[in-house]
Each structure stands twice: as structure tokens, then as C-alpha cells.
Amino acid sequence: MYEMGRNYENLKKEHPCFGANGLKTGRIHLPVSGPCNICCRFCDRVLNDYEDRPGVASKVIKPKEAIDVLRKALKICPQITVAGIAGPGDTLASDYALETFRLIDREFPKLLKCMSTNGLLLPERAEEIIDAGIDTLTVTVNSVDPVTESKLNKYIVYDGKIIEGTEGARILIRNQLKGIEMVSERGITVKVNTVLVPGINDHEIEKTAIAVKDAGASMYNIIPLIPQYELSDCPAPGCDALNAARERAGDFIDVFRHCRHCRADAAGLLGGKDFGAQLYSGREPVKERFSHG
Ligand code: CLF
Ligand code: SF4
């Protein structure tokens, strides 16, 4: 466990997604988590070498392979300070992410361990997350209103059942906020991501920012919709709308403004070239750099 990482002020110097200089500090995403337990209406998870967005990886790897990839990555880019897991599915829908973080804690104790989740299983798995030594946790909360959330999320899979519409959305939101409270009270620094979707959740960004801040989140990251799947006809927000939403949220919580919408297997400096092609044989370099980072 990286003790310094538990201090928010230190994270601002060492974690590129919490304000550290993205030209000097880097992150790697280890794509160990394939399945997901909810169905976002904008999600299109695929395996390929060329798309530069969350939810995409060249392949899904096993926890032990992730350690080999990490060792190689640190040789190529010693500025990497953060080992993250952000999909391509949900990190809590299977055990692979937590298993990988336990291995990282043993092998690379100085690295910050950063996990990203939709939060559905956060309350029931909070103890495991704390035990694995996770330093920073990102929870994607797209709305705290079940009616709005049901326009963004088709269903959840919970307790072995598919739960649709506002009923599923209500459970998801409850678990997200409860989970944020549980882990932040135990010293894990929480960032919340919201996918900004024009006409659906853009009018209630303040409400979401206030709710997640009250639950214990320290940082807020608003990322623009990449129109796909059921929302493929929805327009992506422009820079002005994105900036306006960030300004409004900034009245209530620290806002991160340099998100690169990383692939689930991104590697390198946040502000630099991705070198995933060197880690995964056969992969072509991606041009630039959505799940939920
Ligand atoms: Fe990865 Fe996300 Fe951790 Fe960063 S990314 S799990 S907090 S180490 Fe960062 Fe990439 Fe944006 Fe995510 S730039 S998509 S916010
Ligand atoms: Fe799951 Fe993330 Fe896709 Fe939503 S965006 S369905 S949480 S993988």
C-alpha cells in the first residue's frame, strides 16, 4: 500500500488523473476485467487495436499476465506512477481486478493502485477493495435521479436477476452513493466520472456534483458522450457545453479537466504517446487517446 497515495494533496502531485503533471507522470491500464453487470445505453465494448476510447482493449489478460505487462511497461516508461484497471467491463463483476491489485501490492508496492467501477457492487465488495490496498477509486455516476438514469442505463444484473428501468436505476444509484461513502470513510480517495449526455443529464450536473461530494468524493470528471449503441443518434456535447458543465460542477467539487478518455489498455504519460503497441504484440499504435476510467 502506497501510504502517500492516501493523502489527497500528494495525489495531486503523483496521480495524473488527480492533477499531477501529465507530461511527467503516467498510468497504465491493465485490461483484466472483461464482463460487466449493467447495461449502459451508450456502451460498446469491443476488442480491437485501433479505437481510442474507453471500453476498448486489444485483448483481455489474466492477472498474472498483467504483472508481466506491468514489469515491461515500467521499463519502457519509468514515469508510470499509477497502475489502473478500467475494464473493458466492470472491475467488480469478476474477481480478476482485485486479484491483480493484490499481486501489484506485493510486487510493486510503490505504485498507486487505481480502480474504476460502475459501483453496483461497491457496498458489498468495499472490504475487499480496502484489503487489496486500492489508493484511488473512480465511480461512474451519470445521474442521481432514477428517471434520468434509466434513460442512460437499460438494466442491471443484481442478485442473479435482470432489473430494468427506474427500479434498476434506483438500486444502482443507492449502491454507488453508499459505496462511495463506505470507501471514502476508510481513506480511499474517490473520483466520480459522469458521461455528459445532451438532453438527458446535462441539466442536473450540479445535483450530481453535490450528491457525490456529500457522499465523500474528492474529484469530479465530466466526460463527453461518445454516441454509440442505443444513443448513437444523440449528439456529443461540444466544448462549450462541456466547459459550462465543468464550471457549474466546479462550484461544489474539484473538477479534473484533462481526461483523455483512455482505452482499457492505455499505457504511458497522460499527455504523451501511448505505447500499448509495444506491450501487446500485433497491436498498431493508436492515434490518440470510454468505459469509465
Ligand atoms: Fe486510469 Fe481512471 Fe485511474 Fe486515471 S484514467 S482508472 S483515474 S489511472 Fe484518467 Fe483516462 Fe480520464 Fe480515466 S485520463 S479516462 S480519468
Ligand atoms: Fe459496463 Fe462501463 Fe459499459 Fe456501462 S460503460 S455497460 S459500466 S462497461
Side-chain angles (χ1 to χ4, degrees):
M1 187 180 304
Y2 193 36
E3 293 302 331
M4 286 180 74
R6 302 233 163 206
N7 177 316
Y8 185 47
E9 291 310 312
N10 282 323
L11 280 178
K12 288 182 179 173
K13 293 179 204 144
E14 297 174 17
H15 192 315
C17 311
F18 283 79
N21 187 333
L23 294 170
K24 292 186 176 158
T25 56
R27 51 80 188 97
I28 181 168
H29 283 173
L30 299 161
V32 297
S33 302
C36 191
N37 46 14
I38 70 174
C39 181
C40 296
R41 295 183 190 272
F42 49 78
C43 179
D44 180 19
R45 289 197 305 286
V46 290
L47 296 181
N48 70 39
D49 291 339
Y50 52 88
E51 277 185 276
D52 195 14
R53 61 172 175 88
V56 179
S58 290
K59 57 182 177 178
V60 174
I61 58 175
K62 297 275 183 243
K64 281 189 181 145
E65 288 177 76
I67 298 303
D68 295 338
V69 168
L70 184 49
R71 192 167 284 119
K72 200 168 158 186
L74 287 167
K75 280 196 183 129
I76 300 170
C77 183
Q79 302 97 316
I80 286 177
T81 53
V82 183
I85 304 183
D90 185 63
T91 48
L92 297 177
S94 63
D95 292 328
Y96 301 123
L98 287 168
E99 191 182 330
T100 305
F101 280 126
R102 286 191 288 267
L103 293 172
I104 295 171
D105 199 41
R106 261 204 334 252
E107 303 268 334
F108 307 96
K110 290 200 170 173
L111 285 179
L112 291 165
K113 291 179 286 302
C114 186
M115 182 183 209
S116 177
T117 176
N118 61 40
L120 178 66
L121 297 181
L122 203 42
E124 68 190 66
R125 305 202 71 174
E127 278 307 319
E128 291 173 86
I129 292 169
I130 291 156
D131 287 349
I134 306 297
D135 299 285
T136 49
L137 183 79
T138 292
V139 188
T140 299
V141 180
N142 293 323
S143 175
V144 292
D145 179 306
V147 174
T148 304
E149 180 62 25
S150 69
K151 294 176 187 167
L152 300 169
N153 179 264
K154 205 169 170 179
Y155 61 80
I156 64 169
V157 182
Y158 192 57
D159 283 341
K161 293 192 292 267
I162 292 177
I163 308 174
E164 300 176 310
T166 52
E167 194 189 346
R170 194 169 284 112
I171 295 168
L172 178 61
I173 295 163
R174 179 197 69 196
N175 289 6
Q176 289 170 330
L177 296 177
K178 178 73 190 157
I180 291 169
E181 195 182 316
M182 289 170 75
V183 300
S184 60
E185 273 175 358
R186 300 282 295 278
I188 294 179
T189 303
V190 177
K191 169 167 77 58
V192 165
N193 281 2
T194 293
V195 178
L196 187 70
V197 186
I200 298 185
N201 68 352
D202 51 346
H203 62 289
E204 52 177 45
I205 286 296
E206 292 96 329
K207 192 173 156 186
T208 310
I210 291 168
V212 300
K213 173 78 177 171
D214 285 351
S218 304
M219 180 68 85
Y220 194 40
N221 178 28
I222 303 173
I223 53 181
L225 172 76
I226 297 173
Q228 300 172 120
Y229 186 41
E230 290 189 353
L231 296 185
S232 56
D233 291 332
C234 183
C239 286
D240 289 350
L242 187 60
N243 287 334
R246 287 171 171 164
E247 284 300 316
R248 299 200 313 269
D251 287 340
F252 307 100
I253 186 168
D254 281 355
V255 172
F256 174 61
R257 294 166 193 267
H258 303 289
C259 182
R260 297 285 305 267
H261 323 127
C262 310
R263 282 172 60 99
D265 60 2
L269 301 178
L270 212 58
K273 176 178 163 286
D274 186 275
F275 60 80
Q278 287 171 261
L279 298 174
Y280 302 100
S281 55
R283 176 173 143 185
E284 297 294 320
V286 287
K287 285 188 199 116
E288 277 290 301
R289 226 131 345 281
F290 160 102
S291 95
H292 28 234

